[in-house]
Amino acid sequence: MSRRNSETTGIKRQLYTALADMTWRGQLAAEINDYPDTLTAELSTRYRCCEYKEKAVLTHRLRVAMGLAPEDVPRHATLADMAKIALSRTPKPKQCGLEMMAVACDRCPFEKYIVTDVCRNCIAHHCRVTCPKDAITIVNHRAYIDRSRCVECGLCERSCPFRAIIQVTRPCEQACVPKAIVRDGNNVARIDCEKCVGCAACIPACPFGSVADYTSIVQVVSALKEGRSPVVALVAPSFVGQFGTKASPSALRLALLEIGFTHVHEVAQAARQVAEDEAAEIKHRMSEGKPLTLSSCCPSFVATVKTQFPQLEECISTTPSPMAHQATQVKAANPAAITVFIGPCVAKKSEASLLPDVDAVLTFEEVGCIFVARGINIATLSGNGTLGEGDTLGRGFAKAGGLTKAVKAALGEAEIATHLANGLDEVLQTLTKAKKGELNANFVEGMACSGGCIGGHGTLVNRQVTEKLLDRYCEA
Amino acid sequence: MNKITLQFCGGTACHMKGAPELMAVLELLPEQITSQLHVSLTHCLENCGAGPNVRIGGVVHSRVTPESLIAIIKNLAAGQVK
Ligand code: FES
């Protein structure tokens, strides 16, 4: 997500790179206590009220980046203490993968409707007349909303001919389709993990950078450094073009080997098998009189079904996702291997937390930071080949519609009605229809991110750019 | 008229520091300016710690931001007209 919030993204990447560097040098616990000082000195602009707040926020950012939740660390733990805890952990992601850092939240105004300077204290006073709760009075020649009466119905906003009353929504709430962001008594935003589907849309949405996802950077880098067990990279199909047009797929392979991965696989390989299995499952279900099957690849889609449409849960395909499938194969061949899924997706971290065969998940952004920390420039590595084994249909999973295409190919002659739900808004519409029995489809491909995985929040380039490169790679 | 040469660094360090965003900025410029540009991509401008780097008319600029890039280009383009 380099296209928005470049400032907060920049700081995040700087932290990730520093963590990877300190871990690789074996100096994490020794140096991390001083890091907030170093960084605040380096960043010439100050974002918070004072240096102390700035450093407090950085401390929490570092904690989250080390994969630690507040309850994982004792009160008053120093960053060095946290580093030791992080290093002693096996790399396993958390189920609720996102944290709204209370210190970083700016407690944006809670009032939903605000009277602006545009108010002319007109004669008609449509706002006052329409308000069903008599919450509007005129104070100082201007409409005034009594918060104790206001029920946030929005009638006043619509009634004002000058549009002097506006609706303000917090960016995090606005971005959250499942409405999982709530406020506590002090107006601090909080994520309701029961409702959160892990899509991570709130991360780029918050201009204060208060939402962060837990990472396994420290744990993976230390496993790569130790080299005691083989560390296997399972790379998602959407990797194409993520590290720039100068970074070829085979150069990415070399770069991953260079930082210590012992094997590199394309998850596209497993994707193909997933399509075959899912096709068989659809056929089988239809023969049993169950006309609808929902795809299981996208963890946020699956979470949306489970949390908001429990009556449809039975329709979710039981075929494991390509990530799960590939990891199981690797573990079957070598149980000692550490499997690291590398992809565009933050929600995969939550999915992996429940899968015994996936040890860690890194986003492309996180791996990119590890490359920088290790001084690796993929653009200077050579090669024209592929990243690993894979075929056209499996590689196509990266894009919305790719799964459907592969499933249809696997079905051969058998005709089924398919439906693509592209992005969380469409997912909700589709599932609402399905719930009412109004959806004419035997198979729904649900993708929480618009455009599919290449639109994921852990990507590094705009999906319009990667789409073309992906098409070319699929045909190669 | 000589074209203004812009060489973006496509190395990993610069990529992670926002080179794709910089390149995207070019699309915001008016046609009369973009027509004067000759844009290319290189592997590394050997200043990886201070990226994103762009070589503009032979000079390497470091820590380039979208705003500073537009300013540099507009300046050079204005100079060309005279
Ligand atoms: S990667 Fe850009 S200067 Fe080296």
Side-chain angles (χ1 to χ4, degrees), chain A residues 106-400:
Chain A
D106 207 55
R107 313 185 197 179
C108 311
F110 144 71
E111 292 87 9
K112 210 163 172 198
Y113 294 94
I114 292 182
V115 182
T116 64
D117 284 351
V118 179
C119 175
R120 312 214 359 103
N121 188 15
C122 63
I123 300 170
H125 286 144
H126 290 299
C127 55
R128 198 174 61 189
V129 179
T130 23
C131 179
K133 296 286 171 192
D134 291 333
I136 297 186
T137 47
I138 306 300
V139 177
N140 279 338
H141 310 289
R142 188 204 261 206
Y144 169 81
I145 304 173
D146 179 351
R147 300 295 160 197
S148 63
R149 290 171 170 237
C150 174
V151 289
E152 303 186 342
C153 67
L155 284 174
C156 58
E157 181 211 8
R158 274 162 275 157
S159 76
C160 176
F162 298 106
R163 301 191 162 268
I165 300 177
I166 55 163
Q167 185 191 340
V168 239
T169 315
R170 296 172 155 202
C172 53
E173 286 179 23
Q174 180 122 29
C176 183
V177 177
K179 300 199 169 37
I181 296 190
V182 291
R183 318 181 184 111
D184 72 6
N186 288 324
N187 227 356
V188 176
R190 189 170 56 80
I191 298 171
D192 179 351
C193 286
E194 302 289 309
K195 284 194 187 160
C196 174
V197 295
C199 74
C202 50
I203 297 182
C206 174
F208 285 91
S210 332
V211 195
D213 50 331
Y214 299 109
T215 91
S216 298
I217 295 175
V218 167
Q219 293 83 356
V220 172
V221 171
S222 74
L224 292 170
K225 178 183 158 74
E226 280 165 15
R228 252 183 262 140
S229 325
V231 189
V232 183
L234 310 174
V235 187
S238 49
F239 77 87
V240 183
Q242 292 300 333
F243 299 94
T245 39
K246 284 274 175 205
S248 70
S250 56
L252 176 60
R253 176 190 186 82
L254 293 176
L256 289 167
L257 294 172
E258 184 75 34
I259 60 172
F261 283 98
T262 47
H263 305 81
V264 179
H265 295 295
E266 281 192 35
V267 175
Q269 216 183 340
R272 189 56 201 280
Q273 187 58 46
V274 165
E276 301 277 344
D277 295 351
E278 212 145 64
E281 195 181 351
I282 298 167
K283 259 200 235 169
H284 178 72
R285 282 176 59 88
M286 286 170 75
S287 73
E288 280 189 326
K290 294 173 182 161
L292 177 66
T293 304
L294 304 173
S295 65
S296 60
C297 301
C298 170
S300 288
F301 173 66
V302 171
T304 306
V305 179
K306 288 187 177 167
T307 54
Q308 294 187 50
F309 300 87
Q311 54 281 88
L312 295 174
E313 190 172 341
E314 171 284 317
C315 302
I316 303 171
S317 156
T318 55
T319 306
S321 71
M323 167 179 83
H325 196 288
Q326 187 103 27
T328 305
Q329 278 180 332
V330 170
K331 289 274 189 181
N334 184 355
I338 297 174
T339 48
V340 182
F341 175 79
I342 298 172
C345 181
V346 174
K348 280 281 171 199
K349 296 182 180 185
S350 320
E351 183 192 341
S353 73
L354 304 169
L355 298 171
D357 291 335
V358 186
D359 294 310
V361 171
L362 293 177
T363 62
F364 293 129
E365 184 177 42
E366 291 156 11
V367 177
C369 293
I370 300 177
F371 286 141
V372 175
R374 295 290 322 281
I376 306 251
N377 185 350
I378 315 171
T380 59
L381 300 172
S382 58
N384 289 316
T386 60
L387 179 80
E389 305 264 309
D391 72 348
T392 307
L393 287 170
R395 286 174 177 153
F397 267 55
K399 215 164 106 173

Side-chain angles (χ1 to χ4, degrees), chain A residues 2 13 242 245 377-379, chain B residues 11-12 15-16 21 41 43-44:
Chain A
S2 60
R13 292 186 187 169
Q242 292 300 333
T245 39
N377 185 350
I378 315 171
Chain B
T12 307
H15 185 74
M16 295 303 296
E21 260 190 337
L41 202 60
H43 296 90
C44 182

